[in-house]
Amino acid sequence: MDQQSNRQPQAFPEPGIDDFGATLAKHGLTLTRASSRALQINVGLLCDLACRHCHLEAGPSRHEVMTRETMAEVIAYAGRARFEQIDITGGAPELVPHIEWLLTELAPLAPRVLFRTNLSALGRPESRALVEVLRQQRCVIVASFPSCNTGQAESQRGIDYMGKGVATLKMLNQLGFGVDGNNLELDLVVNPTGAFLPPAQCQTEQKFRQDLLRKHGIVFSHLYTFANVPLGRFRHWLESSGNLENYLKKLAGSFNPATVQGLMCRSLVSVSWDGYLFDCDFNLAIGQPLEGRKRHVAEMAGHPPIGIPIPTGDYCYACTAGSGFT
Amino acid sequence: MTTSYYEPQDLERFAEIGKDAPELARKFFDYYGAVFAEGELTGREKALIALAVAHAIQCPYCIDAYTTSCLEKGSNLGEMTEAVHVANAIRGGASLVHGIQMRKAAEKLSL
Ligand code: SF4
């Protein structure tokens, strides 16, 4: 049962916020697909954390995970329609059965394979075999790590997060991830811990490098800062805390037309845990399928056609604020 | 009585201070912009200083604005709280050191 794909899109836009499509039109822009370079695979909504900014509302009580059968269909698709990059995300992909097999099969099919982790699930003793596969297949580990401040990190990701996150980063460094000269990439992703815009990427990278080295002896390859997307659990929090209108206004007020050309939805194909196709993980979160109709990965011969329109919502302002999302 | 002398929305109207004396306002805002531009100090460091000063002068508009600015420039709550302690230490220290004036005045008056 594809509960994910049956979800109804939320009603957009919020009163007082310009429709995203209208904003694009005002700048003489349209949002259409370019050539597809990346395949993102969302292997499930099960997670050991229940982060307050999660646009997918993933958590320990979610049981939707990709079956081995759907994994086989995704692997076959990645073989038919080659991509430059394959990106595994969740939930916590670590908790999905057969994840090691999926990675092993996918690794030869793309030059670059990304594995997104919340660090907590990857640090469990049960994840040792998976870490070994990530190392052998030279996957890029992309780790969420919101703040070097324990209180703020834990307000986003839950109590006890900091110790686990730091321990996993140290373990990954010991295995060579993020350490110069090993060709094992460890990237950090920083989302603001609240209803404010992310700091400038290069300065944050410099600051995290100093702080993580000084406090914990941790090194990493690159750092990326992204705005929180007003969907799912984060949108509920924005509403209940009275921040929604101001946050949306702030995002919409920071609209930068120069980001539209490079938006990830133009070059990414996102597959849900049950095998359906979307333009990005955010359209996946609210069930707005690629080309406006539900299509399973098994039906796809190759890349989606260039030039097809991309469905949007007010959350798209998170991708176009300031210097953009990608 | 629910109204207050301080209204958060007034911060957005700051530019109206240019009405009736536009040249002075322009000079101030140009100077303000130049002060907060990246220089020997980073924008993040300047925002932390501004946050500390805002507490020393107890300006609620500045506290609001520079709390957001510090967060958006990548400072964390630990750093921001320490900055407020710096303001507090200087304020407290400044009062205490004036105690020497008091002691000198008292000495002069006392046997
Ligand atoms: S949320 Fe971002 S990536 Fe997704 S469709 Fe909107 S602009 Fe594109």
Side-chain angles (χ1 to χ4, degrees):
Chain A
M1 168 79 187
D2 54 315
Q3 302 168 25
Q4 176 73 56
S5 317
N6 279 345
R7 277 207 204 164
Q8 288 303 306
Q10 297 174 21
F12 293 113
E14 192 69 16
I17 310 298
D18 284 345
D19 177 78
F20 186 74
T23 298
L24 288 177
K26 214 188 306 175
H27 288 84
L29 297 164
T30 50
L31 188 55
T32 55
R33 180 160 284 277
S35 79
S36 303
R37 290 190 295 104
L39 176 67
Q40 185 170 63
I41 305 163
N42 192 316
V43 291
L45 307 179
L46 172 64
C47 190
D48 59 327
L49 306 179
C51 300
R52 293 172 77 196
H53 74 142
C54 183
H55 61 276
L56 288 160
E57 300 184 68
S61 62
R62 302 299 297 263
H63 299 295
E64 301 93 326
V65 291
M66 189 173 272
T67 60
R68 190 172 165 116
E69 192 190 358
T70 305
M71 285 180 179
E73 287 167 331
V74 173
I75 295 162
Y77 178 54
R80 284 195 298 279
R82 293 302 177 102
F83 292 88
E84 289 167 32
Q85 179 169 291
I86 293 177
D87 181 346
I88 314 284
T89 188
E94 297 90 334
L95 307 184
V96 176
H98 314 297
I99 188 71
E100 295 89 346
W101 174 71
L102 178 70
L103 278 167
T104 310
E105 295 294 315
L106 289 173
L109 301 178
R112 190 172 155 87
V113 175
L114 266 57
F115 183 86
R116 293 185 193 254
T117 176
N118 64 25
L119 290 173
S120 145
L122 198 61
R124 301 170 318 146
E126 305 92 288
S127 297
R128 274 297 155 134
L130 170 63
V131 174
E132 191 45 34
V133 172
L134 292 168
R135 200 178 63 81
Q136 275 170 7
Q137 301 296 341
R138 311 239 147 229
C139 296
V140 176
I141 295 185
V142 181
S144 310
F145 193 78
S147 174
C148 297
N149 175 276
T150 303
Q152 281 175 294
E154 296 192 349
S155 79
Q156 182 187 94
R157 306 192 84 80
I159 297 191
D160 292 341
Y161 170 77
M162 196 58 153
K164 290 181 194 164
V166 164
T168 307
L169 287 173
K170 283 185 175 168
M171 179 265 287
L172 292 171
N173 275 178
Q174 271 160 15
L175 292 171
F177 282 97
V179 178
D180 274 351
N182 283 314
N183 195 22
L184 287 168
E185 197 171 325
L186 170 61
D187 297 338
L188 300 188
V189 168
V190 175
N191 284 94
T193 55
F196 51 93
L197 294 180
Q201 192 155 289
C202 60
Q203 280 159 18
T204 310
E205 180 169 315
Q206 207 180 6
K207 179 88 187 0
F208 269 61
R209 271 193 205 292
Q210 278 169 7
D211 286 1
L212 285 176
L213 191 63
R214 179 169 57 92
K215 292 185 184 168
H216 308 291
I218 289 168
V219 292
F220 59 87
S221 313
H222 309 286
L223 179 145
Y224 302 101
T225 55
F226 295 127
N228 286 312
V229 179
L231 283 174
R233 211 176 277 133
F234 187 61
R235 192 173 186 104
H236 299 321
W237 173 79
L238 287 170
E239 266 161 359
S240 64
S241 61
N243 279 302
L244 181 64
E245 193 185 333
N246 275 350
Y247 187 66
L248 288 175
K249 273 188 186 157
K250 184 171 266 206
L251 292 178
S254 311
F255 176 79
N256 176 2
T259 59
V260 173
Q261 174 78 4
L263 287 173
M264 66 175 154
C265 49
R266 304 196 65 224
S267 60
L268 178 134
V269 178
S270 178
V271 187
S272 59
W273 64 273
D274 51 354
Y276 289 90
L277 296 170
F278 299 86
D279 293 284
C280 71
D281 209 45
F282 310 118
N283 277 350
L284 183 158
I286 62 153
Q288 294 216 76
L290 189 136
E291 260 194 302
R293 69 186 171 90
K294 265 180 75 175
R295 202 169 358 182
H296 198 268
V297 67
E299 299 169 46
M300 293 290 285
H303 290 171
I306 292 174
I308 55 174
I310 296 168
T312 58
D314 66 3
Y315 49 92
C316 295
Y317 283 119
C319 299
T320 53
S323 52
F325 206 103
T326 47
Chain B
M1 170 90 174
T2 53
T3 53
S4 157
Y5 283 109
Y6 290 119
E7 306 273 2
Q9 313 83 277
D10 289 352
L11 183 56
E12 291 164 24
R13 300 177 53 184
F14 193 8
E16 288 177 26
I17 208 66
K19 282 187 184 159
D20 303 314
E23 192 49 24
L24 290 176
R26 189 190 61 73
K27 284 184 170 161
F28 173 78
F29 286 118
D30 283 353
Y31 170 74
Y32 196 96
V35 166
F36 281 96
E38 294 269 331
E40 294 294 324
L41 294 172
T42 63
R44 191 183 75 84
E45 289 162 337
K46 288 182 178 182
L48 273 174
I49 295 169
L51 183 73
V53 174
H55 282 79
I57 60 170
Q58 294 184 307
C59 171
Y61 301 112
C62 298
I63 291 172
D64 216 357
Y66 283 97
T67 296
T68 307
S69 177
C70 282
L71 289 168
E72 292 189 341
K73 289 190 177 341
S75 285
N76 65 46
L77 270 177
E79 292 164 317
M80 291 156 66
T81 309
E82 283 185 18
V84 173
H85 277 288
V86 170
N88 186 50
I90 296 297
R91 273 182 77 119
S95 294
L96 270 186
V97 76
H98 281 81
I100 303 300
Q101 307 272 46
M102 171 275 287
R103 295 193 67 84
K104 277 166 49 184
E107 273 164 22
K108 193 176 170 195
L109 295 173
S110 302
L111 284 171

